[in-house]
């Protein structure tokens, strides 16, 4: 969560500029070829994303086969919470319900077909489709996750705009806070916030309800490390942008320092953080597992922990796959947006 | 400028007096941790298992530095005695993660084309699952235990490092000295063994230190969720899990073990970062 620096992968400096285009007529001729190049790149990324999702679904399917022992017996034992040998008469309905009498390859095919229409199978424990279980809880987690990302953006932009590119001492403190914030484990941060603001100051309820005031502490718990993480790459970019010609020219036009920072530098500097959006969604959705547990909030995180405890694999696999789908989709969208926006796209 | 660049071709000598204080603090914490892991009785003030219900849930004091838990056990001594397990899990998970990512990363960078592409996609697929979820998937299959925890955390962190290692090897592969070695007619195996791997894997020492810190945090998250080492043990995450029921009366049961985990993770990160900077300085 904390230590692999995102800036190393993204801020590799500006890509080489394309050769200046000669004349308007030639640019008009070249336009279709750029369109084709964009379509081609997007198509390739789309296929790559589909391959990754197919791989993730395959991992998910085989994870369900990995429980040792006869599957129907395992399912019955998980359902009853006791380990014992079962008679064929007991096993027959389970075999029929989960299609276990078919060969594995047929089960795999059915599983993939089910995924396409949003069918994640049936819970071992709750006698209900996984989709229904997730569907009830997904809303709470998505709200938490988006609120956290929103908070993280506010915290990050304010903190970086205030401290980046100042005197050495302020810069040092700014960067140190980034690193420490990014390294804070969610469970500990959550407990500190809970102790200080809910138990000590009594500003927020201890057991988070579904209301707005129950949302703030959990969202902050996810937002602070995320903000620290994004701030590290934004800060590097921010300080680099402060020396760029467009900043100097803005200053020469008589623009004040705050105006320069907010209107020119900040916009330029947040690009790497936008690139991290897919990652941020994945991080907050998986961080929700811990946070929902601390604040006793409903959501897919709580469902996941309970399901892992009872080895209810279809539920575990369903949630994990769903988060992977979110993650890959957002990354794909960010990628496509860049392909559309960035004029430096190579025609190859 | 020229003087600097010629001087730093050789790895700079390590001058202890020039090191920043943060590194000293990290080193000191590392030393204490090593003592606690090897011979905890040297540092502990109480028997970590001695029950004393008359002094249950007492706050931090001179007698019990970090307070006591619900059975009157001394929290400080329990943390000291938990160091071995926490550290072993952290080191083990980092080891599993590095070995796994080393295999995946070098296959993706060096194997023949179709195999490399397949490995590349496998890493990509692993990367699609957030680390914690990948770990939880493994625990759901294998059931919670210390060993599962090690492999789960290792598996969770591996994709990120695999990508990094792949990048390192590729950049070494495209460098001038490899081109020179190829021109000299050296065999592929010799080029990989003598040039690419040593240069690409130098930063791995630093990455391992970073990974230990990260792994300790991940592993304690799993124990905190009740999906790792179970509470009778005084592994740090398990201490956090055990203290959760008493958060309204005895906040220190959560704050102190968490602080220890954060401090250790920060120390490992500090050492790793400095090691990284030191190795990079030597490379230029």
């Amino acid at each position: 969560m904390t230590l692999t620096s995102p800036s190393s992968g993204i801020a590799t400096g500006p890509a080489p500029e394309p050769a200046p285009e000669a004349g308007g007529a030639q640019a008009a001729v070249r336009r279709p070829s750029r369109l084709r190049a964009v379509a081609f790149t997007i198509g390739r990324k789309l296929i790559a994303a589909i391959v990754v999702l197919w791989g993730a679904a395959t991992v998910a399917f085989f994870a369900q086969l990995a429980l040792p022992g006869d599957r129907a017996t395992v399912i019955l034992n998980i359902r009853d919470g006791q380990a014992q040998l079962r008679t064929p008469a007991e096993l027959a309905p389970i075999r029929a319900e989960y299609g276990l009498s078919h060969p594995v390859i047929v089960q795999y095919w059915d599983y993939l077909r089910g995924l396409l229409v949003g069918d994640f199978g049936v819970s071992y424990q709750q006698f209900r489709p996984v989709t229904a279980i997730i569907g009830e809880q997904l809303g709470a987690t998505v709200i938490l996750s988006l609120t956290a990302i929103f908070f993280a953006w506010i915290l990050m932009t304010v903190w970086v705009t205030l401290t980046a590119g100042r005197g050495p001492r302020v810069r040092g403190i700014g960067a140190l806070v980034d690193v420490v914030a990014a390294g804070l484990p969610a469970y500990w941060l959550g407990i500190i916030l809970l102790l200080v603001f809910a138990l000590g100051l009594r500003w927020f309820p201890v057991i988070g309800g579904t209301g707005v005031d129950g949302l703030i502490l959990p969202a902050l718990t996810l937002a602070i490390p995320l903000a620290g993480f994004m701030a590290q790459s934004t800060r590097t970019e921010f300080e680099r942008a402060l020396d760029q010609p467009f900043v100097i020219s803005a200053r020469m036009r008589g623009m004040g320092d705050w105006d320069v920072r907010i209107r020119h530098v900040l916009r330029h500097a947040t690009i790497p953080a936008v690139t991290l959006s897919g990652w941020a969604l994945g991080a907050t959705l998986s961080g929700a597992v811990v946070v929902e547990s601390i604040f006793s909030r409903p959501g897919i995180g709580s469902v996941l922990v309970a399901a892992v405890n009872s080895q209810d694999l279809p539920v575990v696999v369903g949630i994990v796959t769903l988060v992977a789908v979110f993650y890959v989709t957002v990354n794909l969208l960010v990628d496509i947006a860049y392909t559309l926006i960035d004029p430096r796209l190579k025609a190859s | 400028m020229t003087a600097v660049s010629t001087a730093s071709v050789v790895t700079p000598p390590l001058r202890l007096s020039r090191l920043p204080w943060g590194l000293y603090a990290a080193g000191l914490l590392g030393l204490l941790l090593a003592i606690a892991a090897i011979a905890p009785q040297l540092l502990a003030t109480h028997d970590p298992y001695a029950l004393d219900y008359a002094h249950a849930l007492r706050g931090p004091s001179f007698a019990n530095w970090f307070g006591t838990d619900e059975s009157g056990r001394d929290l400080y001594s329990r943390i000291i005695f938990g160091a071995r397990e926490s550290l072993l899990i952290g080191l083990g998970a980092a080891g599993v993660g590095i070995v796994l990512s080393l295999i995946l990363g070098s296959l993706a960078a060096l194997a023949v084309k179709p195999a490399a592409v397949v490995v590349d996609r496998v890493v990509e697929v692993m990367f699609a699952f957030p680390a914690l979820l990948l770990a939880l998937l493994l625990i759901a299959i294998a059931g919670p235990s210390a060993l599962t925890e090690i492999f789960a955390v290792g598996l969770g962190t591996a994709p990120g490092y695999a990508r990094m290692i792949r990048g390192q090897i590729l950049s070494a592969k495209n460098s001038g000295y490899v081109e020179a070695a190829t021109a000299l007619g050296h065999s592929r195996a010799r080029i990989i063994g003598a040039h690419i791997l040593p240069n690409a894997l130098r930063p791995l020492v630093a990455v391992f230190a970073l990974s230990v810190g990260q792994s300790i945090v991940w592993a304690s998250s799993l124990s905190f969720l009740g999906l790792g080492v179970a509470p009778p043990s005084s592994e740090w995450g398990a201490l956090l899990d055990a203290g959760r029921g008493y958060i309204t009366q005895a906040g220190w049961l959560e704050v102190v073990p968490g602080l220890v985990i954060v401090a250790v993770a920060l120390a490992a990160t500090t050492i790793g970062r400095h090691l990284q900077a030191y190795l990079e300085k030597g490379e230029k």
Side-chain angles (χ1 to χ4, degrees):
Chain A
M1 177 170 85
T2 53
L3 308 166
T4 36
S5 158
S7 55
S8 60
I10 294 142
T12 46
E17 294 287 330
E21 308 210 341
Q26 205 179 338
V29 172
R30 283 196 49 175
R31 194 144 183 84
S33 93
R34 163 158 163 88
L35 265 181
R36 203 177 308 146
V38 166
F40 183 74
T41 311
I42 290 177
R44 215 183 46 203
K45 283 176 176 162
L46 204 65
I47 290 171
I50 290 171
V51 169
V52 167
L53 285 180
W54 168 69
T58 307
V59 170
F61 174 77
F62 284 99
Q64 297 186 59
L65 296 189
L67 281 183
D70 172 57
R71 262 183 93 200
T73 311
V74 168
I75 293 170
L76 256 187
N77 284 340
I78 288 172
R79 186 164 284 182
D80 299 348
Q82 49 194 208
Q84 59 190 64
L85 279 175
R86 304 290 178 164
T87 60
E90 277 180 297
L91 294 175
I94 295 286
R95 287 226 162 88
E97 189 181 352
Y98 289 92
L100 297 180
S101 43
H102 300 299
V104 170
I105 187 79
V106 175
Q107 291 180 37
Y108 175 58
W109 179 242
D110 286 342
Y111 178 77
L112 286 184
R113 266 202 337 214
L115 280 188
L116 281 183
V117 294
D119 176 8
F120 285 92
V122 179
S123 157
Y124 289 168
Q125 247 198 341
Q126 299 189 33
F127 304 92
R128 289 195 301 153
V130 174
T131 317
I133 298 172
I134 295 177
E136 285 164 12
Q137 305 285 338
L138 187 62
T141 305
V142 168
I143 289 172
L144 172 65
S145 173
L146 294 181
T147 315
I149 292 174
F150 176 68
F151 281 179
W153 269 94
I154 293 179
L155 289 173
M156 187 271 285
T157 38
V158 169
W159 182 243
V160 170
T161 313
L162 282 176
T163 59
R166 305 283 188 196
R169 200 159 293 169
V170 177
R171 279 165 77 156
I173 291 173
L176 182 70
V177 169
D178 292 352
V179 173
V180 172
L184 286 177
Y187 55 82
W188 193 63
L189 183 61
I191 280 168
I192 297 291
L193 291 178
L194 193 69
L195 280 174
V196 174
F197 294 105
L199 291 167
L201 298 171
R202 300 192 176 280
W203 288 358
F204 299 102
V206 176
I207 304 291
T210 41
V212 174
D213 49 352
L215 182 64
I216 291 174
L217 286 185
L220 270 181
T221 307
L222 290 173
I224 290 171
L226 185 61
F229 202 74
M230 294 196 304
Q232 290 178 25
S233 49
T234 306
R235 181 178 303 277
T236 317
E237 206 54 35
F238 199 100
E239 291 182 345
R240 189 178 295 156
L242 274 176
D243 295 331
Q244 295 278 321
F246 66 82
V247 169
I248 298 172
S249 96
R251 289 199 199 282
M252 278 167 65
R253 289 201 308 272
M255 204 180 225
D257 186 45
W258 284 109
D259 258 8
V260 169
R261 277 171 182 264
I262 293 167
R263 285 175 60 183
H264 290 290
V265 180
L266 189 62
R267 277 208 238 165
H268 190 84
T270 47
I271 293 171
V274 174
T275 316
L276 288 173
S277 302
W279 173 85
L281 189 71
T284 48
L285 285 177
S286 65
V289 175
V290 174
V291 169
E292 286 171 0
S293 164
I294 299 171
F295 292 94
S296 323
R297 267 181 70 86
I300 55 170
S302 315
V303 176
L304 181 59
V305 173
V308 170
N309 254 323
S310 56
Q311 297 202 303
D312 193 346
L313 274 177
V315 175
V316 177
V317 160
I319 292 174
V320 171
T321 314
L322 191 69
V323 175
V325 169
F326 276 147
Y327 178 80
V328 172
T329 310
V330 174
N331 267 341
L332 180 69
L333 292 179
V334 170
D335 234 19
I336 288 180
Y338 278 136
T339 312
L340 292 176
I341 292 166
D342 194 345
R344 290 172 299 200
L345 180 77
K346 287 182 204 133
S348 61
Chain B
M1 272 317 274
T2 41
V4 172
S5 58
T6 44
S8 57
V9 167
V10 194
T11 305
L14 196 67
R15 288 212 193 89
L16 283 175
S17 58
R18 290 261 179 95
L19 295 178
W21 64 268
L23 199 53
Y24 277 109
L28 185 67
L29 191 65
L31 187 69
L32 285 177
L33 203 62
I35 297 174
I38 295 164
Q41 57 279 7
L42 291 181
L43 292 176
T45 53
H46 290 67
D47 178 354
Y49 305 107
L51 305 180
D52 181 5
Y53 289 101
H55 294 94
L57 296 179
R58 293 280 170 88
S61 66
F62 281 114
N64 306 102
W65 295 350
F66 293 165
T68 61
D69 69 2
E70 75 281 3
S71 313
R73 290 173 296 193
D74 180 49
L75 183 61
Y76 167 73
S77 305
R78 281 179 67 70
I79 288 177
I80 293 293
F81 271 85
R84 184 181 297 168
E85 200 172 1
S86 304
L87 207 60
L88 280 180
I89 290 175
L91 287 172
V96 168
I98 293 278
V99 169
L100 206 60
S101 54
L102 195 57
I103 295 171
L104 290 172
S106 38
L107 277 180
L110 295 173
V112 285
K113 196 73 192 269
V117 172
V118 168
V119 175
D120 223 20
R121 285 279 163 257
V122 168
V123 174
E124 199 86 348
V125 168
M126 283 171 78
F127 216 71
F129 300 107
L132 184 64
L133 297 190
L134 208 53
L136 288 179
L137 190 59
L138 188 65
I139 292 171
I141 295 166
S145 75
L147 197 66
T148 319
E149 201 170 358
I150 289 175
F151 278 93
V153 174
L155 185 70
T157 53
Y161 294 128
R163 259 191 187 179
M164 195 214 73
I165 289 171
R166 174 178 169 273
Q168 288 280 345
I169 293 180
L170 282 183
S171 77
K173 204 172 152 187
N174 296 328
S175 66
Y177 52 81
V178 167
E179 207 179 330
T182 316
L184 285 171
H186 289 181
S187 72
R188 191 177 154 78
R190 181 165 169 198
I191 292 174
I192 290 175
H195 299 290
I196 296 181
L197 287 184
N199 278 294
L201 303 185
R202 254 162 77 98
L204 225 56
V205 191
V207 171
F208 183 75
L210 291 173
S211 173
V212 170
Q214 199 184 13
S215 298
I216 288 178
V217 170
W218 280 112
S220 56
S221 302
L222 292 176
S223 304
F224 174 79
L225 290 171
L227 300 173
V229 183
S233 150
S234 64
E235 190 264 337
W236 298 336
L239 284 180
L240 285 171
D241 189 28
R244 282 171 83 181
Y246 304 93
I247 184 165
T248 45
Q249 311 116 288
W252 60 87
L253 288 178
E254 295 292 292
V255 175
V256 179
L259 200 59
V260 171
I261 294 169
V262 172
V264 170
L266 210 58
T269 311
T270 309
I271 292 174
R273 286 258 163 93
H274 281 285
L275 218 53
Q276 212 166 22
Y278 173 71
L279 289 172
E280 271 170 18
K281 219 196 282 174
E283 247 168 40
K284 274 181 195 156

